[in-house]
Amino acid sequence: MSISQTQSAIPTLAAFEDAAAFLDGVISRTPIDASQHLSDLVGVPVHLKLENLQRTGSFKIRGAAYRLSRLTAEERARGVVAASAGNHAQGVALAAQELGISATIFMPLGVPVPKLLATRGYGADVILEGATVETPLRLAAEFAERTGAVFIHPFDHPDIIAGQGTLGLELWDEVPDLDTVVISIGGGGLIAGVAAALKARAAAAGRSIRIIGVQAENSAAYPSSLEAGQPLTVSTRPTIADGIAVARPGDLPFEIIRELVDEVVTVTEDDIARALLVLLERAKQVVEPAGAVGVAAMLAGKITPQGTTVTVLSGGNIDPLLLQRVVAHGLAASGRYMSLRIPLPDRPGQLARVSELLSQAGANVIEVLHTRHGQGLQISEVILQLSVETRGEEHRAHVISVLEGAGFTATVVRD
């Protein structure tokens, strides 16, 4: 696509303002929260845009509601169909319910239970198929072809991008000295809209704003696509950030992102888990993994914010069971929790000795398993498996050093 074609594909400032006018009263104007912890860490003022507190628990209601509002009466009568790992599904389902439109939603198997129940609770007919969102996308397109229902793409449509871009207008109004925005990327609709809206406002004011995108390393289609100059389908691996697990960029978002986004970085699963833990402890915010990747990038040193910075917490729809596992993983990744495997001679006093050493080292024992069963054990050996709480990487290393100094072999068991 040429530069002129790319520019014509970018929604105008008037389109974003029209979307904002429609959404006034439909969505919540979510708060901005200053983060002293992140500000101290990166050396510039950092604010959090709390879209995890948005209606339906994510930014997706913005694009979905605006897209459905622009359907004709004939299109509304045919109903809508969508595919989503959860957040777009909820946005479409709620918008359809409020506009009196029937909605069918295809979702992947294994979708987080809260997202599934919420989507059904908004009155949509939900069909579960496929391991990733690509299968539901294909099935939704086939359903639209077969039934005449209007397919509501999660990110690859101008109205979706215009709706998501209203978040950028809010940032402009709420953070007057804004310099940098950090946003998660899945298919690209959110960052495309925010980048286009903000840069249009900034250009009119004679200013510049830096836009940084973040993807989960296990599902990062944009870095290779941007390098190739066209959207590519990549092989993905499982990620806790299911909300941004998209194997191929959207065509329209890709063109906008290539033109307007300054940098795209990736973060690991450990990075994301640490970010969720920091947000819980320091910001008191429950955020889903996909919504925490911007914070993850800051904590991991993957980006260098310049000037006043906002990172968007794009969603908060996390399964409580996943949250429990992620918190444990985040504690381990932060050096505050570890599981140890220690072989012991099968004689009295050994467990007491290990407990005494751990007490001296200041480690808190959370769980203990003492067993004579295990591969490679001698008849005269037992295995002690311990879960202990520590105070960081240095303390964890000290605990292991104390055990090894007393003649024990302590092996850290990874997740």
mmCIF file of all heavy atoms in Angstrom, residues 203-252:
data_model
loop_
_atom_site.group_PDB
_atom_site.id
_atom_site.type_symbol
_atom_site.label_atom_id
_atom_site.label_comp_id
_atom_site.label_asym_id
_atom_site.label_seq_id
_atom_site.Cartn_x
_atom_site.Cartn_y
_atom_site.Cartn_z
ATOM 1 N N ALA A 203 -0.444 16.665 16.143
ATOM 2 C CA ALA A 203 0.003 17.409 14.963
ATOM 3 C C ALA A 203 -0.703 18.760 14.881
ATOM 4 O O ALA A 203 -0.081 19.780 14.545
ATOM 5 C CB ALA A 203 -0.253 16.588 13.702
ATOM 6 N N ALA A 204 -1.988 18.778 15.206
ATOM 7 C CA ALA A 204 -2.745 20.031 15.160
ATOM 8 C C ALA A 204 -2.238 21.031 16.197
ATOM 9 O O ALA A 204 -2.351 22.242 16.009
ATOM 10 C CB ALA A 204 -4.226 19.751 15.385
ATOM 11 N N ALA A 205 -1.645 20.480 17.288
ATOM 12 C CA ALA A 205 -1.128 21.343 18.349
ATOM 13 C C ALA A 205 0.365 21.599 18.206
ATOM 14 O O ALA A 205 0.971 22.247 19.076
ATOM 15 C CB ALA A 205 -1.413 20.702 19.713
ATOM 16 N N GLY A 206 0.973 21.096 17.138
ATOM 17 C CA GLY A 206 2.397 21.293 16.925
ATOM 18 C C GLY A 206 3.266 20.490 17.869
ATOM 19 O O GLY A 206 4.392 20.895 18.183
ATOM 20 N N ARG A 207 2.761 19.362 18.326
ATOM 21 C CA ARG A 207 3.500 18.508 19.252
ATOM 22 C C ARG A 207 3.714 17.134 18.634
ATOM 23 O O ARG A 207 3.146 16.802 17.591
ATOM 24 C CB ARG A 207 2.718 18.340 20.569
ATOM 25 C CG ARG A 207 2.651 19.578 21.424
ATOM 26 C CD ARG A 207 1.790 19.316 22.650
ATOM 27 N NE ARG A 207 2.152 18.066 23.329
ATOM 28 C CZ ARG A 207 1.376 17.466 24.229
ATOM 29 N NH1 ARG A 207 0.200 17.993 24.543
ATOM 30 N NH2 ARG A 207 1.778 16.348 24.803
ATOM 31 N N SER A 208 4.519 16.316 19.315
ATOM 32 C CA SER A 208 4.701 14.930 18.892
ATOM 33 C C SER A 208 4.494 14.020 20.104
ATOM 34 O O SER A 208 4.809 14.397 21.236
ATOM 35 C CB SER A 208 6.099 14.701 18.320
ATOM 36 O OG SER A 208 7.098 14.924 19.300
ATOM 37 N N ILE A 209 3.934 12.861 19.856
ATOM 38 C CA ILE A 209 3.710 11.858 20.898
ATOM 39 C C ILE A 209 4.261 10.523 20.402
ATOM 40 O O ILE A 209 4.034 10.147 19.248
ATOM 41 C CB ILE A 209 2.219 11.726 21.254
ATOM 42 C CG1 ILE A 209 1.743 12.994 21.973
ATOM 43 C CG2 ILE A 209 1.958 10.490 22.132
ATOM 44 C CD1 ILE A 209 0.277 12.995 22.322
ATOM 45 N N ARG A 210 4.977 9.842 21.270
ATOM 46 C CA ARG A 210 5.590 8.560 20.932
ATOM 47 C C ARG A 210 4.643 7.427 21.327
ATOM 48 O O ARG A 210 4.115 7.401 22.436
ATOM 49 C CB ARG A 210 6.920 8.447 21.686
ATOM 50 C CG ARG A 210 7.799 7.287 21.308
ATOM 51 C CD ARG A 210 9.217 7.569 21.823
ATOM 52 N NE ARG A 210 10.053 6.382 21.816
ATOM 53 C CZ ARG A 210 10.466 5.740 22.903
ATOM 54 N NH1 ARG A 210 10.110 6.189 24.098
ATOM 55 N NH2 ARG A 210 11.224 4.669 22.808
ATOM 56 N N ILE A 211 4.446 6.479 20.413
ATOM 57 C CA ILE A 211 3.556 5.336 20.643
ATOM 58 C C ILE A 211 4.384 4.052 20.598
ATOM 59 O O ILE A 211 5.077 3.787 19.612
ATOM 60 C CB ILE A 211 2.430 5.247 19.596
ATOM 61 C CG1 ILE A 211 1.693 6.591 19.456
ATOM 62 C CG2 ILE A 211 1.473 4.108 19.936
ATOM 63 C CD1 ILE A 211 0.861 6.971 20.643
ATOM 64 N N ILE A 212 4.296 3.253 21.662
ATOM 65 C CA ILE A 212 5.042 1.997 21.743
ATOM 66 C C ILE A 212 4.054 0.848 21.920
ATOM 67 O O ILE A 212 3.173 0.899 22.789
ATOM 68 C CB ILE A 212 6.030 2.011 22.928
ATOM 69 C CG1 ILE A 212 7.034 3.158 22.766
ATOM 70 C CG2 ILE A 212 6.773 0.674 23.026
ATOM 71 C CD1 ILE A 212 7.951 3.329 23.971
ATOM 72 N N GLY A 213 4.200 -0.179 21.102
ATOM 73 C CA GLY A 213 3.354 -1.361 21.192
ATOM 74 C C GLY A 213 4.089 -2.513 21.854
ATOM 75 O O GLY A 213 5.306 -2.637 21.724
ATOM 76 N N VAL A 214 3.333 -3.365 22.551
ATOM 77 C CA VAL A 214 3.922 -4.506 23.245
ATOM 78 C C VAL A 214 3.129 -5.770 22.925
ATOM 79 O O VAL A 214 1.891 -5.770 23.014
ATOM 80 C CB VAL A 214 3.946 -4.292 24.775
ATOM 81 C CG1 VAL A 214 4.703 -5.431 25.453
ATOM 82 C CG2 VAL A 214 4.572 -2.948 25.132
ATOM 83 N N GLN A 215 3.845 -6.833 22.562
ATOM 84 C CA GLN A 215 3.223 -8.129 22.325
ATOM 85 C C GLN A 215 3.822 -9.190 23.238
ATOM 86 O O GLN A 215 4.960 -9.053 23.708
ATOM 87 C CB GLN A 215 3.425 -8.563 20.865
ATOM 88 C CG GLN A 215 2.630 -7.730 19.864
ATOM 89 C CD GLN A 215 2.369 -8.501 18.580
ATOM 90 O OE1 GLN A 215 3.270 -8.683 17.773
ATOM 91 N NE2 GLN A 215 1.132 -8.950 18.410
ATOM 92 N N ALA A 216 3.051 -10.253 23.462
ATOM 93 C CA ALA A 216 3.580 -11.414 24.168
ATOM 94 C C ALA A 216 4.543 -12.140 23.234
ATOM 95 O O ALA A 216 4.220 -12.388 22.067
ATOM 96 C CB ALA A 216 2.450 -12.352 24.589
ATOM 97 N N GLU A 217 5.726 -12.456 23.727
ATOM 98 C CA GLU A 217 6.762 -13.104 22.920
ATOM 99 C C GLU A 217 6.250 -14.384 22.262
ATOM 100 O O GLU A 217 6.630 -14.721 21.133
ATOM 101 C CB GLU A 217 7.957 -13.419 23.814
ATOM 102 C CG GLU A 217 9.162 -13.996 23.117
ATOM 103 C CD GLU A 217 10.298 -14.241 24.102
ATOM 104 O OE1 GLU A 217 11.073 -13.300 24.365
ATOM 105 O OE2 GLU A 217 10.383 -15.383 24.624
ATOM 106 N N ASN A 218 5.372 -15.108 22.941
ATOM 107 C CA ASN A 218 4.872 -16.380 22.422
ATOM 108 C C ASN A 218 3.830 -16.220 21.325
ATOM 109 O O ASN A 218 3.433 -17.207 20.702
ATOM 110 C CB ASN A 218 4.282 -17.222 23.556
ATOM 111 C CG ASN A 218 5.342 -17.861 24.417
ATOM 112 O OD1 ASN A 218 6.535 -17.647 24.211
ATOM 113 N ND2 ASN A 218 4.925 -18.651 25.386
ATOM 114 N N SER A 219 3.375 -15.009 21.095
ATOM 115 C CA SER A 219 2.371 -14.777 20.058
ATOM 116 C C SER A 219 2.576 -13.381 19.471
ATOM 117 O O SER A 219 1.729 -12.505 19.594
ATOM 118 C CB SER A 219 0.963 -14.903 20.649
ATOM 119 O OG SER A 219 -0.015 -14.821 19.644
ATOM 120 N N ALA A 220 3.716 -13.198 18.833
ATOM 121 C CA ALA A 220 4.121 -11.866 18.360
ATOM 122 C C ALA A 220 4.203 -11.834 16.842
ATOM 123 O O ALA A 220 5.233 -12.158 16.248
ATOM 124 C CB ALA A 220 5.459 -11.474 18.974
ATOM 125 N N ALA A 221 3.107 -11.445 16.203
ATOM 126 C CA ALA A 221 3.069 -11.400 14.742
ATOM 127 C C ALA A 221 3.608 -10.095 14.172
ATOM 128 O O ALA A 221 4.019 -10.049 13.010
ATOM 129 C CB ALA A 221 1.630 -11.613 14.260
ATOM 130 N N TYR A 222 3.626 -9.041 14.976
ATOM 131 C CA TYR A 222 3.978 -7.732 14.414
ATOM 132 C C TYR A 222 5.471 -7.524 14.128
ATOM 133 O O TYR A 222 5.807 -6.953 13.083
ATOM 134 C CB TYR A 222 3.427 -6.607 15.286
ATOM 135 C CG TYR A 222 2.055 -6.177 14.820
ATOM 136 C CD1 TYR A 222 0.912 -6.769 15.329
ATOM 137 C CD2 TYR A 222 1.911 -5.216 13.822
ATOM 138 C CE1 TYR A 222 -0.351 -6.403 14.876
ATOM 139 C CE2 TYR A 222 0.653 -4.839 13.365
ATOM 140 C CZ TYR A 222 -0.468 -5.441 13.891
ATOM 141 O OH TYR A 222 -1.711 -5.081 13.436
ATOM 142 N N PRO A 223 6.391 -7.927 15.004
ATOM 143 C CA PRO A 223 7.797 -7.658 14.681
ATOM 144 C C PRO A 223 8.240 -8.214 13.336
ATOM 145 O O PRO A 223 8.843 -7.495 12.526
ATOM 146 C CB PRO A 223 8.543 -8.325 15.850
ATOM 147 C CG PRO A 223 7.594 -8.233 16.986
ATOM 148 C CD PRO A 223 6.250 -8.470 16.369
ATOM 149 N N SER A 224 7.918 -9.469 13.056
ATOM 150 C CA SER A 224 8.326 -10.060 11.778
ATOM 151 C C SER A 224 7.534 -9.470 10.619
ATOM 152 O O SER A 224 8.066 -9.293 9.516
ATOM 153 C CB SER A 224 8.161 -11.580 11.815
ATOM 154 O OG SER A 224 6.825 -11.944 12.109
ATOM 155 N N SER A 225 6.264 -9.151 10.841
ATOM 156 C CA SER A 225 5.452 -8.551 9.774
ATOM 157 C C SER A 225 5.952 -7.161 9.411
ATOM 158 O O SER A 225 6.045 -6.799 8.224
ATOM 159 C CB SER A 225 3.982 -8.480 10.217
ATOM 160 O OG SER A 225 3.438 -9.766 10.393
ATOM 161 N N LEU A 226 6.291 -6.363 10.415
ATOM 162 C CA LEU A 226 6.817 -5.023 10.148
ATOM 163 C C LEU A 226 8.153 -5.094 9.418
ATOM 164 O O LEU A 226 8.426 -4.295 8.518
ATOM 165 C CB LEU A 226 6.964 -4.247 11.457
ATOM 166 C CG LEU A 226 5.650 -3.843 12.131
ATOM 167 C CD1 LEU A 226 5.898 -3.337 13.541
ATOM 168 C CD2 LEU A 226 4.914 -2.790 11.298
ATOM 169 N N GLU A 227 8.962 -6.067 9.797
ATOM 170 C CA GLU A 227 10.249 -6.240 9.110
ATOM 171 C C GLU A 227 10.046 -6.647 7.656
ATOM 172 O O GLU A 227 10.773 -6.190 6.768
ATOM 173 C CB GLU A 227 11.082 -7.288 9.843
ATOM 174 C CG GLU A 227 12.489 -7.458 9.278
ATOM 175 C CD GLU A 227 13.323 -8.449 10.067
ATOM 176 O OE1 GLU A 227 12.876 -8.897 11.139
ATOM 177 O OE2 GLU A 227 14.437 -8.765 9.617
ATOM 178 N N ALA A 228 9.031 -7.482 7.404
ATOM 179 C CA ALA A 228 8.761 -7.944 6.037
ATOM 180 C C ALA A 228 7.986 -6.918 5.220
ATOM 181 O O ALA A 228 7.925 -7.013 3.993
ATOM 182 C CB ALA A 228 7.980 -9.252 6.082
ATOM 183 N N GLY A 229 7.371 -5.945 5.884
ATOM 184 C CA GLY A 229 6.605 -4.930 5.166
ATOM 185 C C GLY A 229 5.204 -5.358 4.801
ATOM 186 O O GLY A 229 4.513 -4.673 4.048
ATOM 187 N N GLN A 230 4.744 -6.483 5.365
ATOM 188 C CA GLN A 230 3.394 -6.963 5.085
ATOM 189 C C GLN A 230 2.956 -7.908 6.201
ATOM 190 O O GLN A 230 3.797 -8.498 6.884
ATOM 191 C CB GLN A 230 3.341 -7.710 3.751
ATOM 192 C CG GLN A 230 4.227 -8.944 3.713
ATOM 193 C CD GLN A 230 4.218 -9.633 2.360
ATOM 194 O OE1 GLN A 230 3.449 -9.273 1.472
ATOM 195 N NE2 GLN A 230 5.054 -10.635 2.190
ATOM 196 N N PRO A 231 1.634 -8.049 6.398
ATOM 197 C CA PRO A 231 1.170 -8.958 7.452
ATOM 198 C C PRO A 231 1.571 -10.404 7.162
ATOM 199 O O PRO A 231 1.377 -10.898 6.047
ATOM 200 C CB PRO A 231 -0.353 -8.795 7.415
ATOM 201 C CG PRO A 231 -0.585 -7.472 6.769
ATOM 202 C CD PRO A 231 0.517 -7.320 5.765
ATOM 203 N N LEU A 232 2.149 -11.055 8.162
ATOM 204 C CA LEU A 232 2.544 -12.454 8.051
ATOM 205 C C LEU A 232 1.812 -13.274 9.104
ATOM 206 O O LEU A 232 1.525 -12.787 10.196
ATOM 207 C CB LEU A 232 4.052 -12.615 8.255
ATOM 208 C CG LEU A 232 5.001 -11.887 7.295
ATOM 209 C CD1 LEU A 232 6.450 -12.117 7.726
ATOM 210 C CD2 LEU A 232 4.780 -12.348 5.862
ATOM 211 N N THR A 233 1.540 -14.531 8.781
ATOM 212 C CA THR A 233 1.007 -15.459 9.772
ATOM 213 C C THR A 233 2.173 -16.162 10.442
ATOM 214 O O THR A 233 3.022 -16.743 9.764
ATOM 215 C CB THR A 233 0.082 -16.492 9.111
ATOM 216 O OG1 THR A 233 -0.996 -15.809 8.464
ATOM 217 C CG2 THR A 233 -0.482 -17.454 10.144
ATOM 218 N N VAL A 234 2.231 -16.104 11.768
ATOM 219 C CA VAL A 234 3.345 -16.682 12.509
ATOM 220 C C VAL A 234 2.861 -17.876 13.323
ATOM 221 O O VAL A 234 1.673 -18.011 13.627
ATOM 222 C CB VAL A 234 4.001 -15.653 13.457
ATOM 223 C CG1 VAL A 234 4.520 -14.455 12.664
ATOM 224 C CG2 VAL A 234 3.025 -15.204 14.533
ATOM 225 N N SER A 235 3.793 -18.742 13.662
ATOM 226 C CA SER A 235 3.483 -19.851 14.562
ATOM 227 C C SER A 235 3.452 -19.310 15.984
ATOM 228 O O SER A 235 4.378 -18.622 16.416
ATOM 229 C CB SER A 235 4.548 -20.948 14.440
ATOM 230 O OG SER A 235 4.550 -21.495 13.135
ATOM 231 N N THR A 236 2.387 -19.602 16.696
ATOM 232 C CA THR A 236 2.252 -19.117 18.068
ATOM 233 C C THR A 236 2.439 -20.266 19.055
ATOM 234 O O THR A 236 2.245 -21.430 18.724
ATOM 235 C CB THR A 236 0.875 -18.484 18.297
ATOM 236 O OG1 THR A 236 -0.136 -19.478 18.086
ATOM 237 C CG2 THR A 236 0.652 -17.324 17.338
ATOM 238 N N ARG A 237 2.854 -19.903 20.249
ATOM 239 C CA ARG A 237 2.942 -20.845 21.353
ATOM 240 C C ARG A 237 1.969 -20.415 22.444
ATOM 241 O O ARG A 237 1.533 -19.267 22.470
ATOM 242 C CB ARG A 237 4.379 -20.871 21.903
ATOM 243 C CG ARG A 237 5.398 -21.489 20.956
ATOM 244 C CD ARG A 237 6.812 -21.297 21.497
ATOM 245 N NE ARG A 237 7.222 -19.897 21.419
ATOM 246 C CZ ARG A 237 8.251 -19.380 22.084
ATOM 247 N NH1 ARG A 237 8.937 -20.140 22.922
ATOM 248 N NH2 ARG A 237 8.566 -18.105 21.942
ATOM 249 N N PRO A 238 1.625 -21.329 23.344
ATOM 250 C CA PRO A 238 0.675 -20.958 24.397
ATOM 251 C C PRO A 238 1.183 -19.763 25.210
ATOM 252 O O PRO A 238 2.368 -19.639 25.500
ATOM 253 C CB PRO A 238 0.611 -22.221 25.270
ATOM 254 C CG PRO A 238 0.980 -23.339 24.349
ATOM 255 C CD PRO A 238 1.999 -22.759 23.413
ATOM 256 N N THR A 239 0.266 -18.872 25.547
ATOM 257 C CA THR A 239 0.600 -17.699 26.353
ATOM 258 C C THR A 239 -0.524 -17.414 27.327
ATOM 259 O O THR A 239 -1.709 -17.669 27.014
ATOM 260 C CB THR A 239 0.853 -16.459 25.476
ATOM 261 O OG1 THR A 239 1.049 -15.314 26.324
ATOM 262 C CG2 THR A 239 -0.298 -16.180 24.533
ATOM 263 N N ILE A 240 -0.161 -16.914 28.507
ATOM 264 C CA ILE A 240 -1.192 -16.525 29.462
ATOM 265 C C ILE A 240 -1.943 -15.287 28.974
ATOM 266 O O ILE A 240 -3.050 -15.013 29.419
ATOM 267 C CB ILE A 240 -0.606 -16.270 30.866
ATOM 268 C CG1 ILE A 240 0.496 -15.202 30.829
ATOM 269 C CG2 ILE A 240 -0.094 -17.558 31.477
ATOM 270 C CD1 ILE A 240 1.001 -14.811 32.223
ATOM 271 N N ALA A 241 -1.354 -14.561 28.025
ATOM 272 C CA ALA A 241 -1.992 -13.359 27.472
ATOM 273 C C ALA A 241 -2.901 -13.743 26.314
ATOM 274 O O ALA A 241 -2.696 -13.348 25.164
ATOM 275 C CB ALA A 241 -0.930 -12.356 27.026
ATOM 276 N N ASP A 242 -3.941 -14.534 26.617
ATOM 277 C CA ASP A 242 -4.808 -15.062 25.562
ATOM 278 C C ASP A 242 -5.528 -13.958 24.795
ATOM 279 O O ASP A 242 -5.875 -14.124 23.627
ATOM 280 C CB ASP A 242 -5.831 -16.031 26.160
ATOM 281 C CG ASP A 242 -6.756 -15.349 27.171
ATOM 282 O OD1 ASP A 242 -6.285 -15.043 28.272
ATOM 283 O OD2 ASP A 242 -7.935 -15.111 26.841
ATOM 284 N N GLY A 243 -5.756 -12.813 25.436
ATOM 285 C CA GLY A 243 -6.484 -11.732 24.782
ATOM 286 C C GLY A 243 -5.751 -11.084 23.626
ATOM 287 O O GLY A 243 -6.353 -10.393 22.804
ATOM 288 N N ILE A 244 -4.422 -11.285 23.528
ATOM 289 C CA ILE A 244 -3.655 -10.731 22.406
ATOM 290 C C ILE A 244 -2.941 -11.839 21.625
ATOM 291 O O ILE A 244 -1.991 -11.572 20.904
ATOM 292 C CB ILE A 244 -2.636 -9.662 22.862
ATOM 293 C CG1 ILE A 244 -1.721 -10.189 23.970
ATOM 294 C CG2 ILE A 244 -3.368 -8.406 23.327
ATOM 295 C CD1 ILE A 244 -0.588 -9.240 24.336
ATOM 296 N N ALA A 245 -3.438 -13.069 21.753
ATOM 297 C CA ALA A 245 -2.835 -14.207 21.036
ATOM 298 C C ALA A 245 -3.421 -14.279 19.634
ATOM 299 O O ALA A 245 -4.372 -15.009 19.369
ATOM 300 C CB ALA A 245 -3.076 -15.504 21.800
ATOM 301 N N VAL A 246 -2.859 -13.493 18.729
ATOM 302 C CA VAL A 246 -3.328 -13.407 17.341
ATOM 303 C C VAL A 246 -2.161 -13.745 16.420
ATOM 304 O O VAL A 246 -1.079 -13.170 16.550
ATOM 305 C CB VAL A 246 -3.874 -11.998 17.023
ATOM 306 C CG1 VAL A 246 -4.317 -11.910 15.575
ATOM 307 C CG2 VAL A 246 -5.033 -11.662 17.962
ATOM 308 N N ALA A 247 -2.382 -14.678 15.496
ATOM 309 C CA ALA A 247 -1.291 -15.183 14.667
ATOM 310 C C ALA A 247 -0.978 -14.286 13.472
ATOM 311 O O ALA A 247 0.103 -14.407 12.885
ATOM 312 C CB ALA A 247 -1.615 -16.597 14.165
ATOM 313 N N ARG A 248 -1.897 -13.399 13.102
ATOM 314 C CA ARG A 248 -1.677 -12.547 11.925
ATOM 315 C C ARG A 248 -2.238 -11.154 12.188
ATOM 316 O O ARG A 248 -3.366 -11.015 12.659
ATOM 317 C CB ARG A 248 -2.361 -13.145 10.700
ATOM 318 C CG ARG A 248 -2.086 -12.363 9.407
ATOM 319 C CD ARG A 248 -2.872 -12.944 8.231
ATOM 320 N NE ARG A 248 -2.523 -12.304 6.975
ATOM 321 C CZ ARG A 248 -3.011 -11.133 6.559
ATOM 322 N NH1 ARG A 248 -3.870 -10.462 7.315
ATOM 323 N NH2 ARG A 248 -2.638 -10.630 5.386
ATOM 324 N N PRO A 249 -1.474 -10.099 11.898
ATOM 325 C CA PRO A 249 -1.995 -8.734 12.062
ATOM 326 C C PRO A 249 -3.194 -8.483 11.166
ATOM 327 O O PRO A 249 -3.330 -9.084 10.085
ATOM 328 C CB PRO A 249 -0.814 -7.850 11.630
ATOM 329 C CG PRO A 249 0.396 -8.718 11.771
ATOM 330 C CD PRO A 249 -0.070 -10.104 11.439
ATOM 331 N N GLY A 250 -4.053 -7.582 11.592
ATOM 332 C CA GLY A 250 -5.115 -7.140 10.704
ATOM 333 C C GLY A 250 -4.546 -6.287 9.584
ATOM 334 O O GLY A 250 -3.575 -5.550 9.783
ATOM 335 N N ASP A 251 -5.140 -6.371 8.404
ATOM 336 C CA ASP A 251 -4.611 -5.629 7.251
ATOM 337 C C ASP A 251 -4.647 -4.117 7.488
ATOM 338 O O ASP A 251 -3.648 -3.423 7.264
ATOM 339 C CB ASP A 251 -5.407 -5.986 5.990
ATOM 340 C CG ASP A 251 -5.163 -7.412 5.533
ATOM 341 O OD1 ASP A 251 -4.054 -7.932 5.762
ATOM 342 O OD2 ASP A 251 -6.086 -8.017 4.962
ATOM 343 N N LEU A 252 -5.800 -3.607 7.917
ATOM 344 C CA LEU A 252 -5.929 -2.163 8.122
ATOM 345 C C LEU A 252 -5.109 -1.693 9.326
ATOM 346 O O LEU A 252 -4.352 -0.715 9.217
ATOM 347 C CB LEU A 252 -7.405 -1.791 8.275
ATOM 348 C CG LEU A 252 -7.723 -0.311 8.518
ATOM 349 C CD1 LEU A 252 -7.083 0.572 7.457
ATOM 350 C CD2 LEU A 252 -9.236 -0.099 8.578
#
